[in-house]
Amino acid sequence: MNVGLPKDVTWQDKVVTTGIFKEPVKAPVMLRTLNLDGDGQADLTVHGGVTKAVYTYPSEHYDYWRRELPGVDLHWGMFGENFTDEGLLEENVYIGDRFRIGETEVIVTEPRMPCYKLGIKFGRADIIKRFLASRRTGFYFAVVREGMVGSRDAMEMIGREQQEISVADIIRLYSFERDDAKGLRRAIQVEALPESWKGYFQHQLEKQTGR
């Protein structure tokens, strides 16, 4: 479990405020509707909010990135994630899946789309394209019930209302198979998918079909 408040850093001769720098915490923390206590996002127009309250990244991906980025110190929280999980991969986690973590209940909403601040964290702009191309994006939770969470709490699945669209499917439709009209229609029908995503996919569908 990793948290961090926004801070100013220098990037390409400019001062940028970012909350991507997270540090592990061992003591239990209160998870609220918008974030964990002690955590924050700098640009709330694209980060944070109800549907992106908590960012989760699979620990299994770290081995991949150690091979891709030899010599880079990859510690937990390096990708700006709040939870570094084990066993929850993009292919087997579906939009709308519900989990119990400690006292809380959360729901999977969307994958993480990288911005230039990931480049700041790694000190290299190419990480943004490489991150998305890897399809190892992690995903966000919305908070259904607030409560205390700890670093050793299990992520227990308690509900799967729809098994229509996985996190990996959203990544695929966004970046790799934008002409999959059937997949786009399925995604639009997933209740837990945020309206911004539905609107984007609807636009992509209309460009193909003209309606």
Side-chain angles (χ1 to χ4, degrees), residues 169-193:
D169 286 328
I170 296 296
I171 302 164
R172 175 178 61 81
L173 292 168
Y174 177 78
S175 293
F176 303 97
E177 299 178 22
R178 297 176 181 176
D179 58 348
D180 179 2
K182 182 178 179 180
L184 292 170
R185 290 190 183 94
R186 285 169 51 219
I188 292 167
Q189 296 302 314
V190 176
E191 184 177 349
L193 188 68

PDB file of all heavy atoms in Angstrom, residues 169-193:
ATOM      1  N   ASP A 169      -9.693  -5.827 -22.117  1.00  0.00           N
ATOM      2  CA  ASP A 169     -10.547  -5.514 -23.268  1.00  0.00           C
ATOM      3  C   ASP A 169     -10.614  -4.007 -23.507  1.00  0.00           C
ATOM      4  O   ASP A 169     -10.599  -3.552 -24.660  1.00  0.00           O
ATOM      5  CB  ASP A 169     -11.960  -6.052 -23.056  1.00  0.00           C
ATOM      6  CG  ASP A 169     -12.047  -7.558 -23.216  1.00  0.00           C
ATOM      7  OD1 ASP A 169     -11.288  -8.119 -24.030  1.00  0.00           O
ATOM      8  OD2 ASP A 169     -12.869  -8.176 -22.518  1.00  0.00           O
ATOM      9  N   ILE A 170     -10.712  -3.242 -22.435  1.00  0.00           N
ATOM     10  CA  ILE A 170     -10.780  -1.782 -22.577  1.00  0.00           C
ATOM     11  C   ILE A 170      -9.494  -1.265 -23.203  1.00  0.00           C
ATOM     12  O   ILE A 170      -9.513  -0.420 -24.120  1.00  0.00           O
ATOM     13  CB  ILE A 170     -11.026  -1.112 -21.209  1.00  0.00           C
ATOM     14  CG1 ILE A 170     -12.390  -1.529 -20.640  1.00  0.00           C
ATOM     15  CG2 ILE A 170     -10.957   0.421 -21.343  1.00  0.00           C
ATOM     16  CD1 ILE A 170     -13.571  -1.081 -21.462  1.00  0.00           C
ATOM     17  N   ILE A 171      -8.355  -1.767 -22.734  1.00  0.00           N
ATOM     18  CA  ILE A 171      -7.072  -1.364 -23.304  1.00  0.00           C
ATOM     19  C   ILE A 171      -7.012  -1.725 -24.785  1.00  0.00           C
ATOM     20  O   ILE A 171      -6.568  -0.933 -25.631  1.00  0.00           O
ATOM     21  CB  ILE A 171      -5.923  -2.052 -22.542  1.00  0.00           C
ATOM     22  CG1 ILE A 171      -5.983  -1.709 -21.062  1.00  0.00           C
ATOM     23  CG2 ILE A 171      -4.569  -1.642 -23.141  1.00  0.00           C
ATOM     24  CD1 ILE A 171      -5.142  -2.623 -20.200  1.00  0.00           C
ATOM     25  N   ARG A 172      -7.467  -2.935 -25.100  1.00  0.00           N
ATOM     26  CA  ARG A 172      -7.431  -3.408 -26.493  1.00  0.00           C
ATOM     27  C   ARG A 172      -8.291  -2.525 -27.388  1.00  0.00           C
ATOM     28  O   ARG A 172      -7.858  -2.111 -28.475  1.00  0.00           O
ATOM     29  CB  ARG A 172      -7.944  -4.856 -26.525  1.00  0.00           C
ATOM     30  CG  ARG A 172      -8.075  -5.442 -27.927  1.00  0.00           C
ATOM     31  CD  ARG A 172      -8.545  -6.894 -27.858  1.00  0.00           C
ATOM     32  NE  ARG A 172      -9.839  -7.028 -27.231  1.00  0.00           N
ATOM     33  CZ  ARG A 172     -11.004  -6.814 -27.840  1.00  0.00           C
ATOM     34  NH1 ARG A 172     -11.035  -6.424 -29.109  1.00  0.00           N
ATOM     35  NH2 ARG A 172     -12.145  -6.979 -27.189  1.00  0.00           N
ATOM     36  N   LEU A 173      -9.498  -2.209 -26.946  1.00  0.00           N
ATOM     37  CA  LEU A 173     -10.408  -1.402 -27.749  1.00  0.00           C
ATOM     38  C   LEU A 173      -9.923   0.042 -27.885  1.00  0.00           C
ATOM     39  O   LEU A 173     -10.172   0.704 -28.894  1.00  0.00           O
ATOM     40  CB  LEU A 173     -11.802  -1.418 -27.129  1.00  0.00           C
ATOM     41  CG  LEU A 173     -12.543  -2.758 -27.174  1.00  0.00           C
ATOM     42  CD1 LEU A 173     -13.775  -2.711 -26.285  1.00  0.00           C
ATOM     43  CD2 LEU A 173     -12.922  -3.116 -28.605  1.00  0.00           C
ATOM     44  N   TYR A 174      -9.229   0.524 -26.891  1.00  0.00           N
ATOM     45  CA  TYR A 174      -8.745   1.907 -26.908  1.00  0.00           C
ATOM     46  C   TYR A 174      -7.537   2.084 -27.815  1.00  0.00           C
ATOM     47  O   TYR A 174      -7.443   3.076 -28.557  1.00  0.00           O
ATOM     48  CB  TYR A 174      -8.383   2.334 -25.484  1.00  0.00           C
ATOM     49  CG  TYR A 174      -7.812   3.729 -25.397  1.00  0.00           C
ATOM     50  CD1 TYR A 174      -8.641   4.843 -25.453  1.00  0.00           C
ATOM     51  CD2 TYR A 174      -6.441   3.932 -25.263  1.00  0.00           C
ATOM     52  CE1 TYR A 174      -8.116   6.125 -25.380  1.00  0.00           C
ATOM     53  CE2 TYR A 174      -5.908   5.207 -25.178  1.00  0.00           C
ATOM     54  CZ  TYR A 174      -6.748   6.302 -25.241  1.00  0.00           C
ATOM     55  OH  TYR A 174      -6.226   7.572 -25.171  1.00  0.00           O
ATOM     56  N   SER A 175      -6.623   1.122 -27.791  1.00  0.00           N
ATOM     57  CA  SER A 175      -5.341   1.339 -28.451  1.00  0.00           C
ATOM     58  C   SER A 175      -5.008   0.412 -29.606  1.00  0.00           C
ATOM     59  O   SER A 175      -4.171   0.760 -30.442  1.00  0.00           O
ATOM     60  CB  SER A 175      -4.204   1.221 -27.415  1.00  0.00           C
ATOM     61  OG  SER A 175      -4.274   2.266 -26.481  1.00  0.00           O
ATOM     62  N   PHE A 176      -5.639  -0.754 -29.661  1.00  0.00           N
ATOM     63  CA  PHE A 176      -5.169  -1.759 -30.606  1.00  0.00           C
ATOM     64  C   PHE A 176      -6.218  -2.241 -31.603  1.00  0.00           C
ATOM     65  O   PHE A 176      -5.876  -2.590 -32.724  1.00  0.00           O
ATOM     66  CB  PHE A 176      -4.607  -2.959 -29.832  1.00  0.00           C
ATOM     67  CG  PHE A 176      -3.494  -2.590 -28.895  1.00  0.00           C
ATOM     68  CD1 PHE A 176      -3.739  -2.376 -27.549  1.00  0.00           C
ATOM     69  CD2 PHE A 176      -2.201  -2.428 -29.367  1.00  0.00           C
ATOM     70  CE1 PHE A 176      -2.715  -2.032 -26.681  1.00  0.00           C
ATOM     71  CE2 PHE A 176      -1.165  -2.081 -28.511  1.00  0.00           C
ATOM     72  CZ  PHE A 176      -1.425  -1.872 -27.162  1.00  0.00           C
ATOM     73  N   GLU A 177      -7.468  -2.287 -31.211  1.00  0.00           N
ATOM     74  CA  GLU A 177      -8.510  -2.808 -32.096  1.00  0.00           C
ATOM     75  C   GLU A 177      -9.728  -1.875 -32.074  1.00  0.00           C
ATOM     76  O   GLU A 177     -10.823  -2.253 -31.687  1.00  0.00           O
ATOM     77  CB  GLU A 177      -8.902  -4.226 -31.682  1.00  0.00           C
ATOM     78  CG  GLU A 177      -7.748  -5.222 -31.764  1.00  0.00           C
ATOM     79  CD  GLU A 177      -8.132  -6.612 -31.317  1.00  0.00           C
ATOM     80  OE1 GLU A 177      -9.348  -6.937 -31.336  1.00  0.00           O
ATOM     81  OE2 GLU A 177      -7.230  -7.390 -30.940  1.00  0.00           O
ATOM     82  N   ARG A 178      -9.491  -0.661 -32.518  1.00  0.00           N
ATOM     83  CA  ARG A 178     -10.540   0.353 -32.462  1.00  0.00           C
ATOM     84  C   ARG A 178     -11.677   0.088 -33.447  1.00  0.00           C
ATOM     85  O   ARG A 178     -12.721   0.732 -33.367  1.00  0.00           O
ATOM     86  CB  ARG A 178      -9.928   1.728 -32.740  1.00  0.00           C
ATOM     87  CG  ARG A 178      -8.901   2.139 -31.698  1.00  0.00           C
ATOM     88  CD  ARG A 178      -8.241   3.450 -32.048  1.00  0.00           C
ATOM     89  NE  ARG A 178      -7.236   3.825 -31.061  1.00  0.00           N
ATOM     90  CZ  ARG A 178      -6.458   4.886 -31.160  1.00  0.00           C
ATOM     91  NH1 ARG A 178      -6.571   5.693 -32.215  1.00  0.00           N
ATOM     92  NH2 ARG A 178      -5.561   5.150 -30.233  1.00  0.00           N
ATOM     93  N   ASP A 179     -11.461  -0.835 -34.374  1.00  0.00           N
ATOM     94  CA  ASP A 179     -12.496  -1.150 -35.352  1.00  0.00           C
ATOM     95  C   ASP A 179     -13.357  -2.341 -34.941  1.00  0.00           C
ATOM     96  O   ASP A 179     -14.162  -2.831 -35.735  1.00  0.00           O
ATOM     97  CB  ASP A 179     -11.872  -1.432 -36.718  1.00  0.00           C
ATOM     98  CG  ASP A 179     -10.874  -2.587 -36.675  1.00  0.00           C
ATOM     99  OD1 ASP A 179     -10.511  -3.012 -35.554  1.00  0.00           O
ATOM    100  OD2 ASP A 179     -10.454  -3.051 -37.748  1.00  0.00           O
ATOM    101  N   ASP A 180     -13.217  -2.805 -33.707  1.00  0.00           N
ATOM    102  CA  ASP A 180     -14.011  -3.927 -33.207  1.00  0.00           C
ATOM    103  C   ASP A 180     -15.381  -3.411 -32.768  1.00  0.00           C
ATOM    104  O   ASP A 180     -15.601  -3.105 -31.591  1.00  0.00           O
ATOM    105  CB  ASP A 180     -13.287  -4.612 -32.053  1.00  0.00           C
ATOM    106  CG  ASP A 180     -14.062  -5.785 -31.460  1.00  0.00           C
ATOM    107  OD1 ASP A 180     -15.163  -6.099 -31.966  1.00  0.00           O
ATOM    108  OD2 ASP A 180     -13.573  -6.387 -30.489  1.00  0.00           O
ATOM    109  N   ALA A 181     -16.291  -3.298 -33.721  1.00  0.00           N
ATOM    110  CA  ALA A 181     -17.605  -2.717 -33.437  1.00  0.00           C
ATOM    111  C   ALA A 181     -18.366  -3.526 -32.395  1.00  0.00           C
ATOM    112  O   ALA A 181     -19.032  -2.965 -31.512  1.00  0.00           O
ATOM    113  CB  ALA A 181     -18.418  -2.621 -34.725  1.00  0.00           C
ATOM    114  N   LYS A 182     -18.279  -4.837 -32.480  1.00  0.00           N
ATOM    115  CA  LYS A 182     -18.975  -5.688 -31.508  1.00  0.00           C
ATOM    116  C   LYS A 182     -18.443  -5.450 -30.099  1.00  0.00           C
ATOM    117  O   LYS A 182     -19.210  -5.317 -29.138  1.00  0.00           O
ATOM    118  CB  LYS A 182     -18.800  -7.157 -31.881  1.00  0.00           C
ATOM    119  CG  LYS A 182     -19.535  -8.114 -30.964  1.00  0.00           C
ATOM    120  CD  LYS A 182     -19.352  -9.560 -31.421  1.00  0.00           C
ATOM    121  CE  LYS A 182     -20.070 -10.528 -30.478  1.00  0.00           C
ATOM    122  NZ  LYS A 182     -19.876 -11.940 -30.925  1.00  0.00           N
ATOM    123  N   GLY A 183     -17.128  -5.359 -29.970  1.00  0.00           N
ATOM    124  CA  GLY A 183     -16.529  -5.099 -28.671  1.00  0.00           C
ATOM    125  C   GLY A 183     -16.887  -3.727 -28.136  1.00  0.00           C
ATOM    126  O   GLY A 183     -17.146  -3.560 -26.940  1.00  0.00           O
ATOM    127  N   LEU A 184     -16.917  -2.733 -29.017  1.00  0.00           N
ATOM    128  CA  LEU A 184     -17.288  -1.382 -28.595  1.00  0.00           C
ATOM    129  C   LEU A 184     -18.712  -1.350 -28.058  1.00  0.00           C
ATOM    130  O   LEU A 184     -18.992  -0.712 -27.035  1.00  0.00           O
ATOM    131  CB  LEU A 184     -17.144  -0.415 -29.770  1.00  0.00           C
ATOM    132  CG  LEU A 184     -15.718  -0.140 -30.255  1.00  0.00           C
ATOM    133  CD1 LEU A 184     -15.736   0.640 -31.565  1.00  0.00           C
ATOM    134  CD2 LEU A 184     -14.911   0.615 -29.207  1.00  0.00           C
ATOM    135  N   ARG A 185     -19.613  -2.044 -28.737  1.00  0.00           N
ATOM    136  CA  ARG A 185     -21.010  -2.083 -28.273  1.00  0.00           C
ATOM    137  C   ARG A 185     -21.115  -2.759 -26.917  1.00  0.00           C
ATOM    138  O   ARG A 185     -21.880  -2.325 -26.043  1.00  0.00           O
ATOM    139  CB  ARG A 185     -21.887  -2.807 -29.301  1.00  0.00           C
ATOM    140  CG  ARG A 185     -22.088  -2.039 -30.606  1.00  0.00           C
ATOM    141  CD  ARG A 185     -23.161  -2.688 -31.462  1.00  0.00           C
ATOM    142  NE  ARG A 185     -23.319  -2.006 -32.737  1.00  0.00           N
ATOM    143  CZ  ARG A 185     -22.699  -2.362 -33.865  1.00  0.00           C
ATOM    144  NH1 ARG A 185     -21.891  -3.430 -33.866  1.00  0.00           N
ATOM    145  NH2 ARG A 185     -22.876  -1.676 -34.981  1.00  0.00           N
ATOM    146  N   ARG A 186     -20.373  -3.832 -26.719  1.00  0.00           N
ATOM    147  CA  ARG A 186     -20.383  -4.529 -25.432  1.00  0.00           C
ATOM    148  C   ARG A 186     -19.870  -3.620 -24.324  1.00  0.00           C
ATOM    149  O   ARG A 186     -20.427  -3.579 -23.219  1.00  0.00           O
ATOM    150  CB  ARG A 186     -19.543  -5.792 -25.516  1.00  0.00           C
ATOM    151  CG  ARG A 186     -20.189  -6.932 -26.285  1.00  0.00           C
ATOM    152  CD  ARG A 186     -19.201  -8.051 -26.561  1.00  0.00           C
ATOM    153  NE  ARG A 186     -18.512  -8.480 -25.369  1.00  0.00           N
ATOM    154  CZ  ARG A 186     -17.219  -8.818 -25.317  1.00  0.00           C
ATOM    155  NH1 ARG A 186     -16.469  -8.741 -26.404  1.00  0.00           N
ATOM    156  NH2 ARG A 186     -16.683  -9.214 -24.183  1.00  0.00           N
ATOM    157  N   ALA A 187     -18.808  -2.887 -24.616  1.00  0.00           N
ATOM    158  CA  ALA A 187     -18.226  -2.010 -23.605  1.00  0.00           C
ATOM    159  C   ALA A 187     -19.208  -0.917 -23.184  1.00  0.00           C
ATOM    160  O   ALA A 187     -19.329  -0.600 -21.996  1.00  0.00           O
ATOM    161  CB  ALA A 187     -16.934  -1.394 -24.132  1.00  0.00           C
ATOM    162  N   ILE A 188     -19.897  -0.356 -24.135  1.00  0.00           N
ATOM    163  CA  ILE A 188     -20.837   0.731 -23.848  1.00  0.00           C
ATOM    164  C   ILE A 188     -21.954   0.270 -22.924  1.00  0.00           C
ATOM    165  O   ILE A 188     -22.510   1.062 -22.155  1.00  0.00           O
ATOM    166  CB  ILE A 188     -21.405   1.288 -25.173  1.00  0.00           C
ATOM    167  CG1 ILE A 188     -20.296   2.015 -25.954  1.00  0.00           C
ATOM    168  CG2 ILE A 188     -22.569   2.238 -24.935  1.00  0.00           C
ATOM    169  CD1 ILE A 188     -20.650   2.336 -27.384  1.00  0.00           C
ATOM    170  N   GLN A 189     -22.272  -1.018 -22.965  1.00  0.00           N
ATOM    171  CA  GLN A 189     -23.365  -1.550 -22.154  1.00  0.00           C
ATOM    172  C   GLN A 189     -22.951  -1.905 -20.729  1.00  0.00           C
ATOM    173  O   GLN A 189     -23.804  -2.237 -19.905  1.00  0.00           O
ATOM    174  CB  GLN A 189     -23.940  -2.804 -22.832  1.00  0.00           C
ATOM    175  CG  GLN A 189     -24.571  -2.559 -24.184  1.00  0.00           C
ATOM    176  CD  GLN A 189     -25.693  -1.548 -24.131  1.00  0.00           C
ATOM    177  OE1 GLN A 189     -26.555  -1.616 -23.253  1.00  0.00           O
ATOM    178  NE2 GLN A 189     -25.678  -0.591 -25.060  1.00  0.00           N
ATOM    179  N   VAL A 190     -21.664  -1.841 -20.413  1.00  0.00           N
ATOM    180  CA  VAL A 190     -21.202  -2.207 -19.072  1.00  0.00           C
ATOM    181  C   VAL A 190     -21.492  -1.065 -18.098  1.00  0.00           C
ATOM    182  O   VAL A 190     -20.958   0.036 -18.232  1.00  0.00           O
ATOM    183  CB  VAL A 190     -19.698  -2.540 -19.083  1.00  0.00           C
ATOM    184  CG1 VAL A 190     -19.201  -2.821 -17.667  1.00  0.00           C
ATOM    185  CG2 VAL A 190     -19.440  -3.754 -19.972  1.00  0.00           C
ATOM    186  N   GLU A 191     -22.338  -1.332 -17.150  1.00  0.00           N
ATOM    187  CA  GLU A 191     -22.837  -0.290 -16.252  1.00  0.00           C
ATOM    188  C   GLU A 191     -21.732   0.426 -15.488  1.00  0.00           C
ATOM    189  O   GLU A 191     -21.761   1.651 -15.326  1.00  0.00           O
ATOM    190  CB  GLU A 191     -23.836  -0.895 -15.261  1.00  0.00           C
ATOM    191  CG  GLU A 191     -24.479   0.125 -14.334  1.00  0.00           C
ATOM    192  CD  GLU A 191     -25.514  -0.489 -13.414  1.00  0.00           C
ATOM    193  OE1 GLU A 191     -25.886  -1.664 -13.627  1.00  0.00           O
ATOM    194  OE2 GLU A 191     -25.955   0.201 -12.476  1.00  0.00           O
ATOM    195  N   ALA A 192     -20.748  -0.310 -15.007  1.00  0.00           N
ATOM    196  CA  ALA A 192     -19.720   0.284 -14.146  1.00  0.00           C
ATOM    197  C   ALA A 192     -18.679   1.091 -14.906  1.00  0.00           C
ATOM    198  O   ALA A 192     -17.894   1.818 -14.291  1.00  0.00           O
ATOM    199  CB  ALA A 192     -19.029  -0.815 -13.336  1.00  0.00           C
ATOM    200  N   LEU A 193     -18.647   0.985 -16.225  1.00  0.00           N
ATOM    201  CA  LEU A 193     -17.678   1.749 -17.000  1.00  0.00           C
ATOM    202  C   LEU A 193     -18.052   3.235 -16.956  1.00  0.00           C
ATOM    203  O   LEU A 193     -19.195   3.596 -17.231  1.00  0.00           O
ATOM    204  CB  LEU A 193     -17.640   1.255 -18.445  1.00  0.00           C
ATOM    205  CG  LEU A 193     -16.533   1.836 -19.326  1.00  0.00           C
ATOM    206  CD1 LEU A 193     -15.162   1.350 -18.864  1.00  0.00           C
ATOM    207  CD2 LEU A 193     -16.758   1.464 -20.790  1.00  0.00           C
TER     208      LEU A 193
END
